Amino acid sequence: MHTGQTHTEQTQAEQSVSYLVGRMSEGDSQAFDQLMGHYYPKVLRMAYLISGNHADSEDIVQETFVLCWMNRKKIKEPEHFSSWLYKTLTREAWRICRKSRREQPVEEVYGEEEPQASSVLDEVLAHSRDDELYRAIGSLPVKQRTVVVFYYFNQMSTKEIAGIMGCMEGTVKSRLYTARINLKRELTRRQDAEKEVAL
């Protein structure tokens, strides 16, 4: 998916993040605040899609940033900060998901500024309404959900996802394949149920 950023703009953004990470690791709280502002909307969406509810997603993001500040001196490669942050987010999301199974409507997080996910999903999913798609994603096991979020919503490669999730690339591909089948099955089931109600 085209982000609207030129290669130069992307490089400048990455350099800016690396600089802020370097400042944060030295204890600069203003740099930390700027990094939080930069990443917050994206990680909140990711946390919501993985956890499936608003309250948990807020907790996940808060815990992720607390860990980010507490472990700032351990970040040795500022240019890889995004991967480090997503790995931390994933661990926190899985931990909180194990503790809580509440559900809440997607609209509370997304509203009007939801990224156009359906444009990057397989054709199988392309004809589904967004709310249907998010509910179907929410029905997946948490590790399948995580792979779908990183692959489709963040446009990450299976190799990058494997690094973040701490597993083999083949495992990521397997989870992605299974997730696609489960999503198709769930979306078809929901659509059939709606047709029956309409009759």
Side-chain angles (χ1 to χ4, degrees), residues 56-74:
D56 284 350
S57 62
E58 292 279 5
D59 288 345
I60 292 163
V61 173
Q62 186 176 352
E63 289 297 318
T64 299
F65 282 121
V66 166
L67 288 168
C68 177
W69 177 254
M70 287 171 61
N71 295 313
R72 63 191 182 279
K73 292 183 179 177
K74 297 179 183 176

Side-chain angles (χ1 to χ4, degrees), residues 76-194:
K76 303 300 181 190
E77 299 176 308
E79 66 274 16
H80 296 142
F81 175 72
S82 294
S83 293
W84 182 88
L85 184 68
Y86 298 149
K87 193 179 291 186
T88 305
L89 172 82
T90 301
R91 279 199 302 265
E92 285 305 296
W94 290 357
R95 183 180 67 80
I96 288 174
C97 282
R98 281 197 295 270
K99 289 168 59 179
S100 169
R101 292 272 31 101
R102 295 185 302 274
E103 296 294 333
Q104 197 155 328
V106 161
E107 295 78 64
E108 294 199 24
V109 171
Y110 286 94
E112 292 298 312
E113 55 181 21
E114 160 56 20
Q116 297 196 343
S118 52
S119 67
V120 296
L121 287 167
D122 297 280
E123 194 175 341
V124 158
L125 310 176
H127 304 298
S128 306
R129 294 197 308 270
D130 282 352
D131 58 336
E132 284 178 343
L133 179 57
Y134 300 138
R135 288 193 187 96
I137 290 170
S139 72
L140 295 171
V142 66
K143 292 187 179 180
Q144 287 180 30
R145 247 189 342 244
T146 306
V147 168
V148 166
V149 171
F150 284 133
Y151 187 80
Y152 287 115
F153 291 80
N154 283 35
Q155 281 82 62
M156 289 183 180
S157 68
T158 51
K159 185 176 181 180
E160 289 174 307
I161 298 167
I164 288 168
M165 294 179 69
C167 62
M168 302 291 285
E169 189 176 358
T171 305
V172 171
K173 289 178 179 177
S174 174
R175 285 175 182 160
L176 198 53
Y177 176 78
T178 308
R180 287 189 187 116
I181 292 171
N182 288 340
L183 281 172
K184 183 178 181 182
R185 185 184 298 131
E186 180 65 15
L187 286 165
T188 303
R189 186 189 68 75
R190 288 174 183 273
Q191 287 161 0
D192 289 347
E194 281 185 11

